Amino acid sequence: MKVEKLHINDHEEQVKDVVMLAARILLEAGAEGTRTEDTMNYIASHYGFIQNNSFVTNTVINFILHDQSYPRIYRIKERNTNLIKISKVNSVSRKLVRDELTLEEAFGLLEKIYITTKDHPVWFKTIAGALIALSFLYLQDGLPIDIFTTLAGGALGICITEIIKRRTPTQFIPEFFGGLTIALTVVTGHYYIPGGDLSTMLISSVMPIVPGVLITNAIQDLFGGHMMMFTTKSSEALVTSFAIGAGVSSVLIFV
């Protein structure tokens, strides 16, 4: 009986390990709380633990397999947007539920995803930011004369934001300096290349650093009844937007 009990406990710990690592990757990659809790529940339920309970916020994971097991708690200290990680974790969880992977194999794949799937480099995000800004310029019927200034503003803004993010864990400061950089770039470009619309260029250039994924996830959590996640994410998005606006306003107030 002792051997059997030990075997069962080992199995439970393996399930917990897989569930917690999957949840950790999802939350750190910017997934919404509803998706994270559903993934945790699907994996645990597949192995017969129907009474499992999970509760996540954007900073904490709480999970208990059943009433007689010890709970697991993990503090999320860093968050970013990495849709590749989210997609890969979803793929692993689906294969696990279809019995195409064992718990050991799933845990190994999740570890590999966590370690090797890195965020995009700064140069890649800089190019992407420039293209996003240009796209919004087109959507707002911007003038051809505004293209170069908007490209420069979007590229430099997200570049500065990402560099500061990787050097300091402080929230909202990177977005402030990103907004400040965008405003300085756009105002300078508008001065040397006059004739365009300053407001259109500012709005377009700011779009790459606007927390759009955060706002979308907050709304999804609201529809899913996850009020804690909705409150925390919407508050974070609000303060982030305020930081961007403060950075832009700091320049415009002197123009």
Side-chain angles (χ1 to χ4, degrees):
M1 291 295 293
K2 290 183 179 180
V3 174
E4 182 181 357
K5 185 176 181 181
L6 179 61
H7 176 71
I8 293 173
N9 287 339
D10 287 344
H11 176 69
E12 290 183 359
E13 292 303 314
Q14 285 180 329
V15 174
K16 289 180 185 177
D17 290 341
V18 171
V19 167
M20 291 297 290
L21 183 54
R24 176 182 176 183
I25 296 171
L26 288 173
L27 283 181
E28 290 185 354
E32 64 272 23
T34 307
R35 179 192 298 272
T36 304
E37 288 188 354
D38 285 347
T39 301
M40 298 168 75
N41 179 62
Y42 288 151
I43 295 173
S45 298
H46 175 69
Y47 288 97
F49 302 103
I50 308 298
Q51 301 300 322
N52 69 88
N53 280 288
S54 58
F55 175 74
V56 302
T57 68
N58 57 340
T59 55
V60 177
I61 304 170
N62 290 276
F63 179 72
I64 185 168
L65 203 56
H66 54 77
D67 294 341
Q68 303 301 318
S69 69
Y70 293 106
R72 291 277 189 98
I73 300 175
Y74 187 82
R75 175 77 160 82
I76 300 296
K77 297 180 181 179
E78 59 180 62
R79 298 183 302 280
N80 208 330
T81 300
N82 194 321
L83 300 182
I84 298 176
K85 280 188 175 182
I86 296 174
S87 176
K88 288 184 176 181
V89 171
N90 288 340
S91 177
V92 170
S93 67
R94 293 189 187 102
K95 289 180 179 179
L96 193 61
V97 171
R98 292 196 300 262
D99 290 321
E100 296 177 10
L101 294 172
T102 64
L103 283 170
E104 292 82 0
E105 290 171 340
F107 187 78
L109 286 175
L110 290 172
E111 279 191 321
K112 184 177 180 181
I113 292 169
Y114 186 77
I115 295 172
T116 63
T117 308
K118 301 296 184 182
D119 194 12
H120 293 298
V122 174
W123 65 264
F124 182 89
K125 289 192 174 184
T126 300
I127 296 173
L131 295 177
I132 291 170
L134 184 61
S135 300
F136 276 95
L137 181 69
Y138 172 77
L139 291 175
Q140 295 184 93
D141 294 326
L143 301 174
I145 198 173
D146 297 335
I147 291 177
F148 178 77
T149 302
T150 303
L151 282 172
L156 289 175
I158 197 167
C159 180
I160 295 299
T161 301
E162 289 299 319
I163 289 174
I164 297 176
K165 273 184 179 180
R166 299 181 186 204
R167 292 177 178 269
T168 175
T170 307
Q171 293 284 331
F172 315 119
I173 298 299
E175 288 79 10
F176 171 80
F177 283 102
L180 189 72
T181 302
I182 289 169
L184 284 171
T185 303
V186 171
V187 169
T188 303
H190 184 63
Y191 176 79
Y192 285 103
I193 312 175
D197 185 12
L198 181 62
S199 298
T200 301
M201 287 188 290
L202 280 173
I203 294 171
S204 302
S205 299
V206 142
M207 283 300 170
I209 64 173
V210 169
V213 174
L214 199 60
I215 295 170
T216 303
N217 286 352
I219 295 172
Q220 288 179 322
D221 284 324
L222 174 63
F223 290 156
H226 209 302
M227 299 305 297
M228 179 68 75
M229 285 288 281
F230 166 72
T231 303
T232 54
K233 285 193 172 184
S234 57
S235 299
E236 184 177 349
L238 182 64
V239 178
T240 301
S241 301
F242 175 79
I244 296 170
V248 174
S249 300
S250 298
V251 174
L252 295 181
I253 199 171
F254 296 105
V255 176

